Amino acid sequence: MVPIKPKQLKYFGVTALSLTLIFVLHYITQTPVSSETSFVSSHGSPEDLQATSEDLASTPEDIVSTPEDSDTPFSHETNHESSKGEVEESQETSDSKEEVAVPQDSVTEEGSFQTKQNLMFVKTHKCGTSTLVNVFYLLGVRRKLNFVINPYTHKVNVNGRLLPPRPGGQYNIQCQHGTFRPGKEHEILPKETSLYVTILRSPVSHFTSAFNFFGAANMIKKKYGEQELDVLVGKYLSERVEPDKPPVINMEVNSAARDLGYKTFAQALPSNMSLEDKINSFVSHIDKELDYVMITERMDESLVILKEYLGWELSDLFYLNRMVSSKPKAVLSEQTQQRVLEIDAIDRQLYEHFNRTFEQHIERVGREKVQILVGEFRRMRNEFEDKCFDKTREVQRGPYGSASWALSDYGENKNQACSFLQEGDVLLTTAITDLQISYDYKNINACKSAGNCIMQATIRKIQQDYDNNRIT
């Protein structure tokens, strides 16, 4: 064997390196680097890619019948190319800090959010939430999703016996009345995949609505006789205020704070902490726990932003004003309004804070985009409402002094979503309980009432229309 000299060794090394570079350059020029190539290199074999592509190419019917297999169970129609791009983007950023769907004070970059799969909605009283719950219920039954509910009750206690999701599935929506308990909620609907949302209403308007609805007005009238609303509210506030035991928390005063769990939160704070500091701490706590807070006075904007955060369609947002009070709305004097704001201190600070952060959500989605979507949504929703109702007929009087137009022939017979959106919580929750227990939404137990039987039939028709893409 002839020994290799150092100069020869150097020559062979350079030659080998040159050949290697030529081969690499040739491979690059002959092999285009596609998004699929990148996906395979980081996720596995071509067989894995093929399976993923098949999943992405699922039909709307597949997504409806197996929401637990879908990355976005709320989406009825999926743009498969964009979905694949989102998967690749998530892999590229997997090593970085996870983005939060809610803009912080210093972050309002347009489009910088991730859609979430599921919805955890804290239902606050007298904020338009009866209307919203029916929207969420309709969305869920169309897609055969799983609700976080206690069987046959329209109030949810997450520490009580919950109706389990269908086998192989997971919880998708919580939207019924119940005190917010973040620790337990996180176990049921993980924040990584769920959007935590509530809605707030202007405190004076909120108080006035609750004052009439929950019977405080009638209670004061019995004691003092018929009086102007301003006088009745003044007497109520005088009787309810206890200077040595602030704050007042009940169904009329600081009602949103009550629903959001202020009492439990405040009990864990130092006893010598001032009320102002407790309220500030609570507002910060809710800001951290909730991804998005809607505003009742800006309902259409709120829904359009929610659509973006959850990947919904505009048609998923259609609502009907199911519970509109027929009682005349009196206006409180400025002096009484100021008294309401003073006693309603927690709700006032919550509203002021989240009314400001609402603007950040608009910036996050894109102000021009929101404006365009709101215009389109209002046009579509008004057309839907005009088809559902016969507005030439007298209004129908409902419970609690509520009122609505009568359903049209279209609303009664051609699109069951119209009647569904007009139903009450109790009947809907009963029917949905039966459907979720049935596992496949078909083998339903015997109806508990005639109304329940009708509602089950209504839901089946809604699902059929949705599966056949007949939702107009």
Side-chain angles (χ1 to χ4, degrees):
M1 181 175 178
V2 180
I4 300 175
K5 296 179 180 181
K7 288 185 177 179
Q8 291 176 317
L9 181 62
K10 181 179 180 181
Y11 170 79
F12 290 145
V14 172
T15 302
L17 178 61
S18 300
L19 290 173
T20 301
L21 290 173
I22 292 170
F23 175 78
V24 171
L25 289 170
H26 175 75
Y27 179 82
I28 292 174
T29 57
Q30 298 298 317
T31 307
V33 181
S34 67
S35 60
E36 292 185 353
T37 303
S38 175
F39 190 91
V40 173
S41 65
S42 59
H43 289 267
S45 66
E47 290 77 14
D48 295 333
L49 175 61
Q50 182 179 7
T52 305
S53 299
E54 290 173 355
D55 291 340
L56 290 171
S58 299
T59 62
E61 289 77 11
D62 294 333
I63 294 173
V64 170
S65 57
T66 56
E68 59 274 13
D69 296 331
S70 171
D71 287 337
T72 52
F74 291 112
S75 299
H76 181 49
E77 297 179 1
T78 304
N79 184 317
H80 306 310
E81 292 300 322
S82 64
S83 297
K84 187 159 55 180
E86 289 168 4
V87 172
E88 293 164 2
E89 182 179 353
S90 68
Q91 288 299 316
E92 293 171 1
T93 60
S94 61
D95 294 333
S96 62
K97 187 176 180 180
E98 181 184 356
E99 285 188 56
V100 181
V102 180
Q104 303 300 317
D105 290 344
S106 59
V107 181
T108 55
E109 182 180 353
E110 182 175 335
S112 56
F113 61 87
Q114 296 174 336
T115 57
K116 296 292 185 76
Q117 292 177 240
N118 306 312
L119 173 65
M120 195 286 149
F121 179 71
V122 183
K123 185 180 181 185
T124 47
H125 288 81
K126 305 309 297 173
C127 292
T129 50
S130 293
T131 297
L132 289 175
V133 165
N134 282 26
V135 171
F136 302 149
Y137 268 167
L138 179 60
L139 179 88
V141 300
R142 279 174 169 169
R143 292 157 175 75
K144 304 180 179 70
L145 302 181
N146 293 300
F147 290 91
V148 179
I149 53 176
N150 302 112
Y152 303 110
T153 176
H154 69 293
K155 297 181 180 180
V156 62
N157 177 5
V158 293
N159 290 322
R161 184 172 71 91
L162 296 175
L163 185 67
R166 289 179 294 128
Q170 62 179 354
Y171 286 120
N172 303 115
I173 301 177
Q174 180 175 329
C175 60
Q176 269 299 354
H177 281 308
T179 304
F180 184 45
R181 296 179 173 88
K184 188 66 176 179
E185 305 289 1
H186 297 167
E187 298 175 15
I188 299 169
L189 287 168
K191 291 205 71 176
E192 294 77 12
T193 57
S194 306
L195 191 74
Y196 276 56
V197 181
T198 193
I199 185 168
L200 297 175
R201 182 176 179 178
S202 175
V204 173
S205 173
H206 190 193
F207 169 83
T208 304
S209 178
F211 181 74
N212 285 311
F213 186 85
F214 293 113
N218 290 332
M219 177 187 69
I220 297 295
K221 285 179 184 178
K222 288 181 180 179
K223 189 172 183 179
Y224 297 101
E226 288 289 339
Q227 304 276 353
E228 293 290 334
L229 178 64
D230 201 70
V231 176
L232 294 174
V233 169
K235 293 185 178 297
Y236 170 84
L237 295 177
S238 297
E239 291 187 359
R240 291 288 175 171
V241 174
E242 296 182 64
D244 57 330
K245 295 182 180 180
V248 177
I249 299 178
N250 55 33
M251 296 303 294
E252 295 86 25
V253 180
N254 293 309
S255 171
R258 174 184 179 275
D259 293 329
L260 290 169
Y262 176 83
K263 287 185 177 180
T264 301
F265 177 84
Q267 287 173 358
L269 297 176
S271 57
N272 61 347
M273 196 174 190
S274 69
L275 177 59
E276 182 180 359
D277 287 343
K278 287 181 179 180
I279 294 175
N280 289 335
S281 180
F282 180 66
V283 172
S284 297
H285 162 70
I286 296 300
D287 187 59
K288 178 182 177 181
E289 288 293 341
L290 298 183
D291 298 316
Y292 173 46
V293 176
M294 304 166 68
I295 301 297
T296 302
E297 290 78 15
R298 306 176 73 173
M299 180 66 79
D300 291 346
E301 290 173 281
S302 294
L303 285 171
V304 162
I305 294 170
L306 188 68
K307 161 201 175 302
E308 292 296 300
Y309 285 167
L310 288 168
W312 293 1
E313 302 294 331
L314 285 175
S315 57
D316 294 325
L317 307 172
F318 292 167
Y319 62 86
L320 300 175
N321 292 309
R322 181 178 72 82
M323 192 178 288
V324 181
S325 176
S326 61
K327 297 178 180 179
K329 295 182 179 179
V331 179
L332 298 178
S333 66
E334 290 187 10
Q335 181 181 3
T336 303
Q337 288 186 41
Q338 187 59 39
R339 290 186 65 192
V340 169
L341 292 174
E342 289 173 0
I343 191 174
D344 221 14
I346 313 176
D347 278 12
R348 172 173 52 81
Q349 289 192 224
L350 283 167
Y351 183 82
E352 289 174 352
H353 174 80
F354 288 107
N355 198 31
R356 288 193 300 269
T357 63
F358 187 80
E359 292 297 322
Q360 296 173 359
H361 290 280
I362 291 178
E363 295 296 334
R364 175 62 64 87
V365 174
R367 189 168 295 276
E368 183 178 355
K369 181 178 182 179
V370 170
Q371 184 178 4
I372 292 171
L373 287 174
V374 167
E376 181 67 7
F377 170 66
R378 286 174 176 166
R379 180 189 65 77
M380 294 170 62
R381 196 202 72 82
N382 288 338
E383 289 178 357
F384 172 71
E385 182 174 278
D386 289 342
K387 291 165 72 174
C388 285
F389 290 133
D390 180 356
K391 295 185 178 181
T392 64
R393 295 165 60 186
E394 293 184 1
V395 296
Q396 297 173 326
R397 303 293 175 180
Y400 309 111
S402 62
S404 175
W405 289 292
L407 288 172
S408 64
D409 176 67
Y410 171 88
E412 288 183 346
N413 302 309
K414 296 180 181 179
N415 191 341
Q416 298 298 313
C418 298
S419 59
F420 184 97
L421 290 171
Q422 289 292 96
E423 289 296 344
D425 291 354
V426 177
L427 183 58
L428 290 180
T429 306
T430 299
I432 287 170
T433 298
D434 286 334
L435 289 167
Q436 195 158 311
I437 288 175
S438 72
Y439 296 156
D440 58 3
Y441 274 74
K442 293 179 181 178
N443 300 319
I444 311 297
N445 296 329
C447 300
K448 293 178 170 54
S449 66
N452 188 232
C453 288
I454 294 172
M455 183 48 59
Q456 287 182 10
T458 295
I459 290 175
R460 288 195 194 94
K461 181 64 167 59
I462 287 172
Q463 291 171 341
Q464 290 171 4
D465 288 345
Y466 182 79
D467 291 347
N468 295 322
N469 203 27
R470 295 195 303 264
I471 49 172
T472 56

